[in-house]
Amino acid sequence: MNAEITSTENPTPVHQFTVMLSPTRRGARLARLLTVAHLGHWGLPTQSAGHIVAELANNAVVHGRVRGRDFLLGLTVTDKTLRIEVTDTRGDRLPATDREVPTRLTESGRGLLLVDALAARWGVRTGPPPRKTVWAELDLPT
């Protein structure tokens, strides 16, 4: 599921990787490990992407889990951008994009704040039903 594509319109190589993972803690951990391994193999920075994937995959496991349905991790690299996508089958449960900052005593609710701080852009795309995709983009060093 790993491919390198060279287009005549854009001579810069584009790397892509997609994998279906079980909606479990192990699946979320594997999503982060696979991301770090592929980006390292491609010679790209891994730290911020690893954190983002960890948060998005964990959210897919905790908030997007439907018994018997996996989640999808997708990585796409162009010459300027790394796009991370995590798709689950709970399109009816969208993350709040206007999140309040949790207090010191709050036990959860920091994941998307971390994504917002690390990513250049992020958002949510719904469909086709019953899916939703939470995506984040990182600008790559030139």
Side-chain angles (χ1 to χ4, degrees), residues 57-133:
N58 184 62
N59 284 351
V61 168
V62 172
H63 304 292
R65 181 179 184 169
V66 173
R67 187 179 189 100
R69 295 183 183 167
D70 295 339
F71 72 92
L72 176 70
L73 167 67
L75 305 173
T76 304
V77 178
T78 65
D79 58 344
K80 298 178 182 177
T81 306
L82 164 63
R83 184 175 178 96
I84 299 164
E85 295 185 337
V86 175
T87 302
D88 65 48
T89 54
R90 288 298 305 262
D92 59 323
R93 297 185 73 184
L94 299 177
T97 54
D98 57 340
R99 304 190 59 85
E100 292 183 23
V101 178
T103 67
R104 282 186 17 217
L105 302 176
T106 307
E107 294 183 14
S108 63
R110 293 174 179 79
L112 289 177
L113 291 174
L114 180 64
V115 171
D116 190 51
L118 294 174
R121 295 159 295 286
W122 75 276
V124 181
R125 183 180 71 242
T126 58
R131 298 180 193 99
K132 77 168 172 297
T133 299

Side-chain angles (χ1 to χ4, degrees), residues 21-24 27-32 51-63 71 73 86:
L21 297 164
S22 65
T24 62
R29 183 172 185 266
L30 186 56
R32 182 183 57 80
H51 290 307
I52 290 170
V53 167
E55 293 300 334
L56 296 184
N58 184 62
N59 284 351
V61 168
V62 172
H63 304 292
F71 72 92
L73 167 67
V86 175

